């Protein structure tokens, strides 16, 4: 079975998850107005090589839409040395995917005022590089932005976009009256079969993508024909970015790719009576994404000549469901890996030959994005005693403890100060 077909294995241990999550919880607060209370730490006079690293979310932590959050600039003044180099290993882990890795690095460089390398940026679909068994198959790709460029950068050699499929079979897209064909085209029998589906991010025309993806799945990759019975299991589906909501310039959160996936899953179940299955789910809170991020942190430390192993990871984000849940889940994975039990949490066989040096992953929740202490769906219990609504993906069991952040701070600068203080580093 491929990595993360679903998280049915994880659902078998919800109580263990909750214990682990609460075990990881340390200092907490509700976006305090003045600093934070931490235990005393001896600041080292001579800076030793780092033994910790940062996983930073982007939207809602460093930027809101196209505007940089002022605290992000303050944070990077602390994170950079006099030569403009990072003092600790750091990667940007975003669930965005409708942009190339190079373009995202350039965008961050311009906003933050220092050179961000492409290999410091993890997009939601970056771990798809680890699925070579599908790289040679003919894949339908959905999303927007540089779709073909991104798919090929991930290793996929033969991709078809939704627009290309629609052009080949114009009678499939019938919702928009203005786009319906004026005449009935001749049927085609020269279009090679689709062998799988890549969902890289939310598309622009949801109705078109939903219809054509369903056509491909129900026809076993031959949307110009019809089948008496829909095949099951269906063609392989790889998806990235499960965020139901994300934060831009608007005062309220916006729909994310997780909302599109929810629509597709609901339609498929309603039409077929069966569950849509994924061969891989990537992006936060997937364990695979954190394994991938840890590997980049390790490589970055090696290039800088930092010999000490990176034992602690600090994940800073604004979304309890993706950032906090994912960091806490990865923390539990690291704890269980020390006792050869990581398989219970869906750990990847891809890392068998790369033993992890990280021993912990602390979740730090900021109040500059999706999360608000008073907002509906925050990590705090509702006033009527009911659990807050679950914004996570269907294949991730609802475990409130995993959405309890290790630390809650105002912004990313406060997060960096908190970590430096705990690690005994000069601010």
């Amino acid at each position: 079975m491929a990595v993360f077909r679903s998280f049915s294995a994880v659902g078998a241990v919800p109580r263990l998850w909750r214990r682990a999550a609460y075990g990881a919880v340390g200092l907490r607060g509700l976006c305090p107005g003045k600093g934070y209370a931490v235990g005393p730490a001896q600041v080292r006079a001579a800076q030793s090589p780092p033994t910790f690293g940062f996983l930073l979310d982007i939207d809602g932590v460093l930027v809101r839409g196209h505007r940089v959050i002022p605290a992000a600039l303050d944070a990077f003044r602390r994170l950079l040395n006099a030569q403009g180099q990072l003092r600790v290993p750091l990667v940007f882990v975003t669930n965005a995917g409708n942009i190339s890795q190079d373009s995202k690095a350039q965008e961050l460089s311009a906003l933050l005022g220092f050179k961000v390398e492409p290999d410091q940026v993890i997009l939601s679909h970056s771990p798809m590089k680890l699925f070579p068994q599908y790289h040679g198959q003919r894949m339908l790709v959905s999303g927007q932005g540089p779709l073909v460029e991104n798919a090929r950068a991930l290793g996929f050699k033969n991709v078809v976009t939704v627009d290309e499929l629609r052009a080949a079979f114009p009678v499939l897209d019938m919702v928009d009256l203005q786009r319906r064909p004026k005449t009935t085209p001749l049927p085609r029998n020269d279009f090679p079969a689709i062998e799988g589906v890549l969902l890289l991010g939310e598309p622009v025309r949801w109705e078109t993508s939903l219809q054509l993806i369903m056509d491909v799945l129900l026809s076993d990759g031959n949307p110009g024909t019809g089948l008496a019975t829909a095949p099951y299991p269906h063609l392989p589906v790889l998806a990235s970015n499960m965020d139901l909501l994300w934060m831009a310039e608007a005062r309220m959160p916006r729909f994310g790719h997780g909302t599109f996936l929810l629509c597709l899953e609901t339609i498929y179940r309603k039409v077929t009576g069966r569950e849509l299955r994924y061969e891989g789910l990537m992006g936060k809170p997937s364990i695979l994404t954190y394994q991938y991020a840890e590997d980049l942190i390790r490589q970055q430390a090696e290039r800088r000549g930092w010999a000490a192993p990176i034992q602690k990871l600090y994940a800073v984000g604004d979304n309890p469901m993706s950032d906090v849940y994912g960091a806490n889940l990865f923390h539990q994975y690291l704890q269980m890996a020390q006792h050869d039990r990581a398989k219970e949490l869906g750990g990847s066989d891809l890392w068998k030959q790369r033993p992890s040096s990280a021993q912990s992953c602390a979740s730090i929740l900021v109040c500059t994005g999706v999360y608000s202490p008073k907002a509906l769906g925050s990590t705090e219990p509702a006033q009527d005693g009911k659990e807050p609504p679950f914004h996570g993906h269907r294949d991730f069991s609802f475990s409130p403890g995993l959405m309890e952040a290790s630390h809650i701070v105002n912004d990313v600068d406060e997060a960096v100060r908190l970590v430096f203080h705990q690690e005994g580093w000069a601010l």
Side-chain angles (χ1 to χ4, degrees), residues 97-146:
N98 294 324
I99 190 173
S100 72
Q101 203 172 18
D102 287 349
S103 296
K104 196 65 177 178
Q106 293 173 10
E107 179 184 292
L108 287 171
S109 298
L111 288 170
L112 300 176
F114 84 101
K115 176 65 174 175
V116 176
E117 300 295 340
D119 63 3
Q120 290 177 289
V121 178
I122 300 175
L123 302 174
S124 61
H125 47 63
S126 294
M128 286 188 184
K129 295 175 183 177
L130 305 174
F131 289 80
Q133 65 269 40
Y134 302 113
H135 288 173
Q137 296 190 359
R138 185 170 169 84
M139 307 290 284
L140 175 67
V141 58
S142 169
Q144 58 182 291

Side-chain angles (χ1 to χ4, degrees), residues 2 34 103 148 158 192 194 256 300 304 307 322 349 362 376 399 409 423:
K34 295 182 179 179
S103 296
V148 174
N158 190 359
I194 302 294
Q300 191 179 135
R304 293 291 300 274
S322 59
D349 288 337
L376 178 67
S399 183
V409 296
E423 294 295 328

Side-chain angles (χ1 to χ4, degrees), residues 86-262:
L86 287 168
R87 299 167 63 191
V88 298
L90 180 152
V91 293
F92 302 91
V93 188
T94 176
N95 271 352
N98 294 324
I99 190 173
S100 72
Q101 203 172 18
D102 287 349
S103 296
K104 196 65 177 178
Q106 293 173 10
E107 179 184 292
L108 287 171
S109 298
L111 288 170
L112 300 176
F114 84 101
K115 176 65 174 175
V116 176
E117 300 295 340
D119 63 3
Q120 290 177 289
V121 178
I122 300 175
L123 302 174
S124 61
H125 47 63
S126 294
M128 286 188 184
K129 295 175 183 177
L130 305 174
F131 289 80
Q133 65 269 40
Y134 302 113
H135 288 173
Q137 296 190 359
R138 185 170 169 84
M139 307 290 284
L140 175 67
V141 58
S142 169
Q144 58 182 291
L147 277 179
V148 174
E149 176 189 344
N150 280 340
R152 288 179 176 163
L154 295 170
F156 296 94
K157 303 175 181 66
N158 190 359
V159 296
V160 178
T161 67
V162 170
D163 286 340
E164 290 171 338
L165 185 62
R166 177 183 175 274
F169 301 98
V171 297
L172 298 181
D173 186 20
M174 302 297 284
V175 173
D176 188 340
L177 296 177
Q178 300 301 316
R179 280 161 52 102
R180 287 185 183 180
K182 305 305 179 188
T183 60
T184 302
L186 294 174
R188 291 189 58 170
N189 55 13
D190 61 341
F191 194 82
I194 302 294
E195 298 174 294
V197 178
L198 287 179
L199 305 175
L200 298 188
E202 57 269 27
V204 175
R205 286 183 170 268
W206 286 29
E207 77 285 355
T208 299
S209 293
L210 289 168
Q211 178 70 75
L212 270 63
I213 292 167
M214 284 293 298
D215 289 336
V216 166
L217 295 176
L218 296 178
S219 67
D220 204 28
N222 296 280
T225 65
L227 295 179
T229 303
Y232 198 83
H234 53 67
L235 294 174
V237 178
L238 298 174
S240 63
N241 184 359
M242 297 163 273
D243 282 353
L244 186 76
L245 304 169
W246 68 288
M247 204 69 187
E249 290 99 338
R251 299 291 295 272
M252 296 175 65
R254 304 292 88 195
F255 290 155
H257 192 222
T259 305
F260 179 82
L261 297 180
L262 177 62

